Amino acid sequence: MKTKPFLSLEDVKLIANAAEAEALRNNWAVSIAIVDDGGHLLWFQRLDGAAPISSEIAPAKARTAAVGRRESKGYEDMINQGRVSFLSAPTLAGMLEGGVPIVVDGHVVGAVGVSGVKSSEDAQIARAGIAALG
C-alpha cells in the first residue's frame, strides 16, 4: 500500500496565518479558503471589507486547484484561448486565477483559494500561505 502526506490542522493554520499576513501587508480585503486533496473545506476566513461574493469564489478556486491538480489559472487560460467548452467541466466552478495547489513530495495534498483583489494578487496571497510550509 502506498502512503502520502496530508495537511494537519497545524499546517492549515500556518498557511492561513501566512496568507492573511500577506493580504494585510498589502491592505487587501480578501477571502481565503484552504481545502484538502479532495476539495473539502478545511479553513475559511473573510477579512474585513472583503466583498460577500468572495466567500463563494475563494472556496471554488481552491476546490478547482485541488481536484484539478493544477493552478486554477490554467483553466482560465484555456478558456481565454478559445476552449470555451471547458466552461461545462463538472465540479470546476472556480476557473479563475487565485487557486493554487499545495504540493508535498510530489503529492497534491490540498489547495488555497483567494478572492477579493486582482487575480494575480489573489494568487500571490495563496502562494505566500503555501510558502509558510517550508
Side-chain angles (χ1 to χ4, degrees):
M1 180 176 288
K2 295 181 180 185
T3 60
K4 68 176 186 173
F6 65 92
L7 291 172
S8 68
L9 180 57
E10 183 179 321
D11 296 330
V12 171
K13 288 179 179 180
L14 187 68
I15 294 165
N17 288 335
E20 179 182 5
E22 180 70 12
L24 293 175
R25 186 172 22 262
N26 290 287
N27 295 313
W28 292 334
V30 298
S31 289
I32 301 165
I34 303 171
V35 300
D36 66 12
D37 62 335
H40 304 98
L41 193 61
L42 298 172
W43 185 274
F44 176 79
Q45 66 189 95
R46 186 172 132 201
L47 301 182
D48 292 342
I53 191 66
S54 68
S55 66
E56 298 289 332
I57 296 171
K61 288 180 179 183
R63 275 191 298 279
T64 295
V67 299
R69 306 298 196 246
R70 66 173 72 183
E71 288 201 29
S72 56
K73 182 182 186 323
Y75 297 107
E76 181 179 12
D77 290 345
M78 268 193 277
I79 293 163
N80 287 341
Q81 293 167 6
R83 194 169 178 203
V84 294
S85 61
F86 218 89
L87 289 168
S88 66
T91 72
L92 298 180
M95 293 186 281
L96 303 164
E97 184 176 9
V100 180
I102 304 165
V103 182
V104 177
D105 297 333
H107 298 276
V108 173
V109 297
V112 178
V114 179
S115 177
V117 287
K118 293 179 186 173
S119 290
S120 60
E121 295 166 346
D122 290 340
Q124 176 183 328
I125 295 166
R127 286 190 195 98
I130 295 166
L133 286 178

Coordinates of all heavy atoms in Angstrom, one line a residue, residues 16-98:
A16 N -2.9 29.6 6.6 CA -3.9 30.6 6.8 C -3.2 31.9 7.4 O -3.5 33.0 6.9 CB -5.0 30.2 7.7
N17 N -2.4 31.7 8.4 CA -1.8 32.9 9.0 C -0.9 33.6 8.1 O -0.9 34.9 8.0 CB -1.1 32.5 10.3 CG -2.0 32.1 11.4 OD1 -3.1 32.6 11.5 ND2 -1.5 31.3 12.3
A18 N -0.1 32.9 7.3 CA 0.8 33.5 6.3 C 0.1 34.2 5.2 O 0.4 35.3 4.7 CB 1.8 32.4 5.8
A19 N -1.0 33.5 4.7 CA -1.8 34.2 3.7 C -2.5 35.4 4.2 O -2.5 36.5 3.5 CB -2.9 33.2 3.2
E20 N -3.0 35.4 5.4 CA -3.6 36.6 6.0 C -2.6 37.7 6.1 O -2.9 38.8 5.8 CB -4.2 36.2 7.3 CG -4.9 37.4 8.0 CD -5.4 37.1 9.4 OE1 -5.3 36.0 9.9 OE2 -6.1 38.0 10.0
A21 N -1.4 37.3 6.6 CA -0.4 38.4 6.8 C 0.0 39.0 5.5 O 0.2 40.2 5.4 CB 0.9 37.7 7.4
E22 N 0.1 38.2 4.4 CA 0.4 38.8 3.1 C -0.8 39.8 2.6 O -0.5 40.8 2.1 CB 0.5 37.7 2.0 CG 0.8 38.2 0.6 CD 2.2 38.8 0.5 OE1 3.1 38.6 1.4 OE2 2.5 39.4 -0.6
A23 N -2.0 39.4 2.8 CA -3.1 40.2 2.5 C -3.1 41.5 3.3 O -3.3 42.6 2.7 CB -4.4 39.5 2.7
L24 N -2.9 41.4 4.6 CA -2.9 42.6 5.4 C -1.7 43.5 5.1 O -1.9 44.7 5.2 CB -2.9 42.2 6.9 CG -4.2 41.5 7.4 CD1 -4.0 41.0 8.8 CD2 -5.4 42.3 7.2
R25 N -0.6 42.9 4.8 CA 0.6 43.7 4.5 C 0.3 44.6 3.3 O 0.9 45.7 3.2 CB 1.8 42.8 4.2 CG 3.1 43.4 4.0 CD 4.3 42.5 3.9 NE 4.1 41.1 3.6 CZ 4.0 40.1 4.4 NH1 4.1 40.3 5.7 NH2 3.8 38.8 4.0
N26 N -0.5 44.1 2.4 CA -0.8 44.9 1.2 C -2.2 45.6 1.2 O -2.6 46.2 0.3 CB -0.8 43.9 0.0 CG 0.6 43.5 -0.4 OD1 1.4 44.2 -0.9 ND2 0.9 42.2 0.0
N27 N -2.8 45.6 2.4 CA -4.1 46.2 2.6 C -5.1 45.7 1.6 O -5.9 46.4 1.0 CB -4.0 47.7 2.5 CG -3.2 48.3 3.6 OD1 -3.4 48.0 4.8 ND2 -2.3 49.2 3.3
W28 N -5.2 44.4 1.4 CA -6.1 43.7 0.5 C -7.2 43.0 1.3 O -6.9 42.1 2.1 CB -5.4 42.7 -0.4 CG -4.4 43.3 -1.4 CD1 -4.5 44.6 -1.9 CD2 -3.3 42.7 -2.0 NE1 -3.4 44.7 -2.8 CE2 -2.7 43.6 -2.9 CE3 -2.7 41.4 -1.8 CZ2 -1.6 43.3 -3.6 CZ3 -1.6 41.1 -2.6 CH2 -1.0 42.1 -3.5
A29 N -8.4 43.3 1.1 CA -9.5 42.7 1.7 C -10.0 41.5 0.9 O -10.5 41.7 -0.2 CB -10.7 43.7 1.9
V30 N -9.7 40.3 1.4 CA -9.9 39.1 0.6 C -10.6 38.0 1.5 O -10.6 38.1 2.7 CB -8.6 38.5 0.0 CG1 -8.0 39.5 -1.0 CG2 -7.6 38.1 1.1
S31 N -11.1 37.0 0.8 CA -11.5 35.7 1.4 C -10.4 34.7 1.1 O -9.9 34.7 0.0 CB -12.8 35.3 0.9 OG -13.8 36.1 1.4
I32 N -10.1 33.8 2.1 CA -9.1 32.8 2.0 C -9.7 31.5 2.3 O -10.3 31.3 3.4 CB -7.9 33.1 2.9 CG1 -7.3 34.5 2.6 CG2 -6.8 32.0 2.8 CD1 -6.4 35.0 3.7
A33 N -9.6 30.5 1.4 CA -10.1 29.2 1.6 C -9.0 28.1 1.5 O -8.1 28.3 0.6 CB -11.2 28.8 0.6
I34 N -8.9 27.1 2.3 CA -8.0 26.1 2.2 C -8.8 24.7 2.2 O -9.7 24.6 3.0 CB -7.0 26.1 3.4 CG1 -6.3 27.4 3.5 CG2 -6.0 24.9 3.3 CD1 -5.4 27.6 4.7
V35 N -8.4 23.9 1.2 CA -9.1 22.6 1.1 C -8.1 21.5 1.1 O -6.9 21.7 0.9 CB -10.0 22.6 -0.2 CG1 -11.0 23.7 -0.2 CG2 -9.1 22.6 -1.4
D36 N -8.7 20.2 1.3 CA -7.8 19.1 1.3 C -7.7 18.6 -0.2 O -8.2 19.3 -1.1 CB -8.3 18.0 2.2 CG -9.7 17.4 1.8 OD1 -10.2 17.7 0.7 OD2 -10.3 16.7 2.6
D37 N -7.1 17.4 -0.4 CA -6.8 17.0 -1.8 C -8.1 16.6 -2.5 O -8.1 16.5 -3.8 CB -5.9 15.8 -1.8 CG -6.4 14.6 -1.0 OD1 -7.2 14.7 -0.1 OD2 -5.9 13.5 -1.4
G38 N -9.2 16.4 -1.8 CA -10.5 16.2 -2.5 C -11.4 17.4 -2.6 O -12.5 17.3 -3.1
G39 N -10.8 18.6 -2.3 CA -11.5 19.8 -2.4 C -12.5 20.1 -1.3 O -13.3 21.0 -1.4
H40 N -12.3 19.4 -0.1 CA -13.2 19.6 1.0 C -12.6 20.7 1.9 O -11.4 20.7 2.2 CB -13.3 18.3 1.8 CG -13.8 17.2 1.0 ND1 -13.0 16.3 0.4 CD2 -15.1 16.9 0.6 CE1 -13.7 15.4 -0.3 NE2 -15.0 15.8 -0.2
L41 N -13.5 21.6 2.3 CA -13.1 22.8 3.0 C -12.5 22.5 4.4 O -13.1 21.8 5.2 CB -14.3 23.8 3.2 CG -14.0 25.2 3.7 CD1 -13.1 25.9 2.7 CD2 -15.3 25.9 3.9
L42 N -11.3 23.0 4.6 CA -10.6 22.8 5.9 C -10.6 24.1 6.7 O -10.5 24.2 7.9 CB -9.2 22.3 5.7 CG -9.0 21.0 5.1 CD1 -7.5 20.7 4.8 CD2 -9.6 19.9 6.0
W43 N -10.5 25.3 5.9 CA -10.4 26.6 6.6 C -11.0 27.6 5.7 O -10.9 27.5 4.4 CB -8.9 26.9 6.7 CG -8.6 28.2 7.5 CD1 -8.6 29.4 6.9 CD2 -8.4 28.3 8.8 NE1 -8.3 30.3 7.9 CE2 -8.1 29.7 9.1 CE3 -8.3 27.4 9.9 CZ2 -7.8 30.2 10.4 CZ3 -8.0 27.9 11.2 CH2 -7.8 29.2 11.4
F44 N -11.7 28.6 6.3 CA -12.2 29.7 5.5 C -12.2 30.9 6.4 O -12.5 30.9 7.6 CB -13.6 29.5 5.0 CG -14.2 30.7 4.3 CD1 -13.8 30.9 3.0 CD2 -15.0 31.6 5.0 CE1 -14.3 32.1 2.4 CE2 -15.4 32.7 4.4 CZ -15.1 33.0 3.0
Q45 N -11.8 32.1 5.8 CA -11.9 33.3 6.5 C -12.1 34.4 5.5 O -11.6 34.4 4.4 CB -10.7 33.6 7.4 CG -9.4 33.8 6.6 CD -8.2 33.9 7.5 OE1 -7.5 32.9 7.7 NE2 -7.9 35.1 8.0
R46 N -13.0 35.4 5.9 CA -13.2 36.6 5.1 C -12.8 37.8 5.9 O -13.3 38.1 6.9 CB -14.7 36.6 4.8 CG -15.1 37.7 3.8 CD -16.5 37.6 3.4 NE -17.2 38.9 3.5 CZ -18.5 39.1 3.6 NH1 -19.3 38.1 3.6 NH2 -18.9 40.3 3.7
L47 N -11.8 38.4 5.3 CA -11.2 39.6 6.0 C -12.2 40.8 6.0 O -13.0 40.8 5.1 CB -9.9 40.0 5.4 CG -8.8 38.9 5.4 CD1 -7.5 39.5 4.8 CD2 -8.5 38.4 6.8
D48 N -12.1 41.6 6.9 CA -13.0 42.8 7.0 C -12.9 43.6 5.7 O -11.8 43.8 5.2 CB -12.6 43.7 8.1 CG -12.8 43.1 9.5 OD1 -13.6 42.2 9.6 OD2 -12.2 43.6 10.5
G49 N -14.0 43.9 5.1 CA -14.1 44.7 3.9 C -14.1 43.8 2.6 O -14.3 44.4 1.5
A50 N -13.9 42.5 2.7 CA -14.0 41.7 1.5 C -15.4 41.6 1.0 O -16.4 41.5 1.8 CB -13.4 40.3 1.8
A51 N -15.6 41.6 -0.3 CA -16.9 41.5 -0.9 C -17.5 40.2 -0.6 O -16.9 39.1 -0.5 CB -16.8 41.7 -2.4
P52 N -18.8 40.2 -0.3 CA -19.5 38.9 0.0 C -19.3 37.8 -1.0 O -19.2 36.7 -0.7 CB -21.0 39.4 0.1 CG -20.9 40.8 0.5 CD -19.7 41.4 -0.2
I53 N -19.3 38.2 -2.3 CA -19.2 37.2 -3.3 C -17.8 36.4 -3.2 O -17.7 35.3 -3.6 CB -19.3 37.8 -4.8 CG1 -19.4 36.7 -5.8 CG2 -18.2 38.7 -5.1 CD1 -20.7 35.8 -5.7
S54 N -16.8 37.1 -2.6 CA -15.5 36.4 -2.5 C -15.6 35.2 -1.6 O -14.8 34.3 -1.7 CB -14.5 37.4 -1.9 OG -14.7 37.8 -0.6
S55 N -16.6 35.1 -0.7 CA -16.8 34.0 0.1 C -17.3 32.7 -0.7 O -17.2 31.6 -0.2 CB -17.7 34.3 1.3 OG -19.0 34.5 0.8
E56 N -17.8 33.0 -1.8 CA -18.2 31.9 -2.7 C -17.0 31.5 -3.7 O -16.8 30.4 -4.0 CB -19.4 32.3 -3.5 CG -20.6 32.5 -2.7 CD -21.2 31.3 -2.1 OE1 -21.1 30.2 -2.7 OE2 -21.8 31.4 -1.0
I57 N -16.3 32.6 -4.2 CA -15.3 32.4 -5.2 C -14.0 31.7 -4.6 O -13.5 30.8 -5.3 CB -15.0 33.7 -5.9 CG1 -16.2 34.2 -6.6 CG2 -13.8 33.6 -6.8 CD1 -16.1 35.6 -7.2
A58 N -13.6 32.1 -3.5 CA -12.3 31.6 -2.9 C -12.4 30.1 -2.7 O -11.5 29.4 -3.2 CB -12.0 32.3 -1.6
P59 N -13.5 29.5 -2.1 CA -13.5 28.1 -2.0 C -13.6 27.4 -3.3 O -13.1 26.3 -3.5 CB -14.8 27.8 -1.1 CG -15.0 29.1 -0.4 CD -14.5 30.2 -1.3
A60 N -14.3 28.0 -4.3 CA -14.4 27.4 -5.6 C -13.0 27.3 -6.3 O -12.7 26.3 -6.9 CB -15.4 28.2 -6.5
K61 N -12.3 28.4 -6.2 CA -10.9 28.4 -6.7 C -10.1 27.3 -6.1 O -9.3 26.6 -6.7 CB -10.2 29.7 -6.5 CG -10.8 30.8 -7.4 CD -10.0 32.1 -7.1 CE -10.4 33.3 -7.9 NZ -9.6 34.5 -7.6
A62 N -10.2 27.2 -4.8 CA -9.4 26.2 -4.0 C -9.8 24.8 -4.5 O -8.9 23.9 -4.7 CB -9.6 26.3 -2.5
R63 N -11.1 24.5 -4.5 CA -11.5 23.1 -5.0 C -11.0 22.8 -6.4 O -10.6 21.7 -6.7 CB -13.1 23.1 -5.0 CG -13.7 22.7 -3.6 CD -15.2 22.4 -3.7 NE -15.9 23.5 -4.2 CZ -16.3 24.6 -3.4 NH1 -16.0 24.6 -2.1 NH2 -17.1 25.5 -3.9
T64 N -11.1 23.8 -7.3 CA -10.7 23.6 -8.7 C -9.2 23.2 -8.7 O -8.8 22.3 -9.4 CB -11.0 24.8 -9.5 OG1 -12.4 25.0 -9.6 CG2 -10.4 24.7 -10.9
A65 N -8.4 24.0 -7.9 CA -6.9 23.7 -7.9 C -6.6 22.3 -7.3 O -5.7 21.6 -7.8 CB -6.2 24.8 -7.2
A66 N -7.4 21.9 -6.3 CA -7.1 20.7 -5.6 C -7.5 19.5 -6.5 O -6.7 18.6 -6.7 CB -7.9 20.6 -4.3
V67 N -8.7 19.5 -7.0 CA -9.2 18.3 -7.8 C -8.6 18.3 -9.2 O -8.4 17.2 -9.8 CB -10.7 18.2 -7.8 CG1 -11.3 18.0 -6.4 CG2 -11.4 19.3 -8.5
G68 N -8.2 19.5 -9.7 CA -7.6 19.5 -11.0 C -6.1 19.3 -10.9 O -5.5 19.1 -12.0
R69 N -5.5 19.4 -9.7 CA -4.1 19.1 -9.5 C -3.2 20.1 -10.3 O -2.1 19.8 -10.7 CB -3.7 17.7 -9.9 CG -4.5 16.6 -9.3 CD -4.3 16.6 -7.8 NE -4.7 15.4 -7.1 CZ -5.7 15.3 -6.2 NH1 -6.4 16.4 -6.0 NH2 -5.9 14.2 -5.6
R70 N -3.8 21.4 -10.4 CA -3.1 22.4 -11.1 C -3.6 23.8 -10.7 O -4.7 23.8 -10.1 CB -3.2 22.3 -12.6 CG -4.6 22.5 -13.1 CD -4.7 22.6 -14.6 NE -4.5 21.2 -15.2 CZ -4.5 21.0 -16.4 NH1 -4.6 21.9 -17.3 NH2 -4.3 19.8 -16.9
E71 N -2.9 24.9 -10.9 CA -3.4 26.2 -10.6 C -4.7 26.5 -11.4 O -4.8 26.1 -12.6 CB -2.4 27.3 -10.9 CG -1.2 27.2 -9.9 CD -0.4 28.5 -9.8 OE1 -1.0 29.6 -10.1 OE2 0.8 28.4 -9.5
S72 N -5.6 27.1 -10.8 CA -6.9 27.4 -11.4 C -6.7 28.3 -12.6 O -7.5 28.3 -13.6 CB -7.9 28.0 -10.5 OG -7.3 29.2 -9.8
K73 N -5.6 29.1 -12.7 CA -5.3 29.9 -13.8 C -5.1 29.2 -15.1 O -5.5 29.7 -16.2 CB -4.0 30.7 -13.5 CG -3.6 31.7 -14.7 CD -2.3 32.4 -14.4 CE -1.9 33.5 -15.3 NZ -2.3 33.3 -16.7
G74 N -4.7 27.9 -15.0 CA -4.6 27.1 -16.2 C -5.9 26.9 -16.9 O -5.9 26.9 -18.2
Y75 N -6.9 26.8 -16.2 CA -8.3 26.7 -16.8 C -8.7 28.0 -17.4 O -9.3 28.0 -18.5 CB -9.3 26.2 -15.8 CG -9.0 24.8 -15.3 CD1 -8.5 24.6 -14.0 CD2 -9.1 23.7 -16.1 CE1 -8.1 23.3 -13.5 CE2 -8.8 22.4 -15.6 CZ -8.3 22.2 -14.3 OH -8.0 21.0 -13.9
E76 N -8.5 29.1 -16.6 CA -8.8 30.4 -17.1 C -8.1 30.6 -18.5 O -8.7 31.1 -19.4 CB -8.4 31.5 -16.1 CG -8.8 32.9 -16.6 CD -8.4 33.9 -15.5 OE1 -7.7 33.6 -14.6 OE2 -8.8 35.1 -15.7
D77 N -6.8 30.3 -18.5 CA -6.0 30.5 -19.8 C -6.6 29.7 -20.9 O -6.7 30.2 -22.0 CB -4.6 30.1 -19.5 CG -3.8 31.1 -18.7 OD1 -4.3 32.2 -18.4 OD2 -2.7 30.8 -18.2
M78 N -7.0 28.4 -20.6 CA -7.6 27.6 -21.7 C -8.8 28.2 -22.3 O -9.0 28.2 -23.5 CB -7.9 26.2 -21.1 CG -6.8 25.1 -21.2 SD -7.5 23.5 -20.9 CE -7.5 23.5 -19.1
I79 N -9.7 28.7 -21.4 CA -10.9 29.3 -21.8 C -10.7 30.6 -22.6 O -11.3 30.8 -23.7 CB -11.8 29.5 -20.6 CG1 -12.3 28.2 -20.0 CG2 -13.0 30.4 -21.0 CD1 -12.8 28.3 -18.6
N80 N -9.8 31.4 -22.1 CA -9.4 32.6 -22.8 C -8.8 32.4 -24.1 O -8.9 33.3 -25.0 CB -8.5 33.5 -21.9 CG -9.2 34.1 -20.8 OD1 -10.5 34.2 -20.7 ND2 -8.5 34.5 -19.7
Q81 N -8.2 31.2 -24.3 CA -7.6 30.9 -25.6 C -8.5 30.2 -26.6 O -8.2 29.7 -27.6 CB -6.3 30.0 -25.4 CG -5.2 30.8 -24.7 CD -4.1 29.9 -24.2 OE1 -4.1 28.7 -24.5 NE2 -3.1 30.5 -23.5
G82 N -9.8 30.2 -26.2 CA -10.8 29.8 -27.1 C -11.5 28.4 -26.8 O -12.4 28.0 -27.4
R83 N -11.0 27.7 -25.7 CA -11.6 26.4 -25.4 C -12.8 26.6 -24.4 O -12.7 26.2 -23.3 CB -10.5 25.5 -24.8 CG -11.0 24.1 -24.8 CD -9.8 23.2 -24.4 NE -10.4 21.8 -24.3 CZ -9.8 20.8 -23.7 NH1 -8.6 21.1 -23.0 NH2 -10.3 19.7 -23.6
V84 N -13.8 27.3 -24.9 CA -14.9 27.7 -24.1 C -15.7 26.5 -23.6 O -16.5 26.6 -22.7 CB -15.8 28.8 -24.7 CG1 -15.0 30.1 -24.9 CG2 -16.3 28.3 -26.1
S85 N -15.6 25.4 -24.3 CA -16.4 24.2 -23.9 C -15.9 23.8 -22.5 O -16.7 23.1 -21.9 CB -16.2 23.1 -25.0 OG -14.8 22.7 -25.0
F86 N -14.8 24.2 -22.1 CA -14.3 23.8 -20.8 C -15.1 24.4 -19.7 O -15.1 23.9 -18.5 CB -12.8 24.2 -20.6 CG -12.1 23.1 -19.8 CD1 -11.5 22.1 -20.4 CD2 -12.0 23.2 -18.4 CE1 -10.8 21.1 -19.7 CE2 -11.4 22.2 -17.7 CZ -10.8 21.2 -18.3
L87 N -15.9 25.4 -20.0 CA -16.8 26.0 -19.0 C -17.9 25.0 -18.5 O -18.4 25.2 -17.4 CB -17.6 27.2 -19.6 CG -16.7 28.5 -19.8 CD1 -17.4 29.5 -20.7 CD2 -16.3 29.1 -18.5
S88 N -18.1 24.0 -19.2 CA -19.1 22.9 -18.8 C -18.4 21.8 -18.0 O -19.1 20.9 -17.7 CB -19.8 22.4 -20.0 OG -18.9 21.7 -20.8
A89 N -17.1 21.9 -17.7 CA -16.5 20.8 -16.9 C -17.1 20.7 -15.6 O -17.4 21.7 -14.8 CB -15.0 21.2 -16.7
P90 N -17.5 19.5 -15.2 CA -18.2 19.3 -13.9 C -17.3 19.5 -12.7 O -16.1 19.3 -12.8 CB -18.6 17.8 -14.0 CG -17.6 17.2 -14.9 CD -17.3 18.2 -15.9
T91 N -17.8 20.1 -11.7 CA -17.2 20.4 -10.4 C -16.1 21.4 -10.4 O -15.5 21.7 -9.4 CB -16.6 19.1 -9.7 OG1 -15.5 18.6 -10.3 CG2 -17.7 18.0 -9.6
L92 N -15.8 22.0 -11.6 CA -14.8 23.0 -11.6 C -15.5 24.4 -11.8 O -15.6 24.9 -12.9 CB -13.8 22.8 -12.8 CG -13.0 21.5 -12.7 CD1 -12.1 21.4 -13.9 CD2 -12.2 21.4 -11.4
A93 N -15.9 25.0 -10.7 CA -16.6 26.2 -10.8 C -15.7 27.4 -10.6 O -16.0 28.5 -11.0 CB -17.7 26.3 -9.7
G94 N -14.5 27.2 -10.1 CA -13.6 28.3 -9.9 C -12.4 28.4 -10.9 O -11.3 28.3 -10.5
M95 N -12.8 28.6 -12.1 CA -11.8 28.6 -13.2 C -11.2 30.0 -13.4 O -11.2 30.5 -14.5 CB -12.3 27.9 -14.4 CG -12.6 26.4 -14.2 SD -13.1 25.6 -15.7 CE -14.8 26.0 -15.8
L96 N -10.8 30.6 -12.3 CA -10.2 31.9 -12.4 C -8.8 31.8 -11.6 O -8.7 31.1 -10.7 CB -11.1 32.9 -11.7 CG -12.5 33.1 -12.2 CD1 -13.3 33.8 -11.1 CD2 -12.5 33.8 -13.5
E97 N -7.9 32.7 -12.0 CA -6.6 32.7 -11.3 C -6.8 33.0 -9.8 O -7.7 33.8 -9.4 CB -5.7 33.7 -11.9 CG -4.3 33.8 -11.2 CD -3.3 34.7 -11.9 OE1 -3.8 35.5 -12.7 OE2 -2.2 34.7 -11.6
G98 N -6.1 32.3 -8.9 CA -6.2 32.5 -7.5 C -6.3 31.3 -6.7 O -6.3 31.3 -5.5

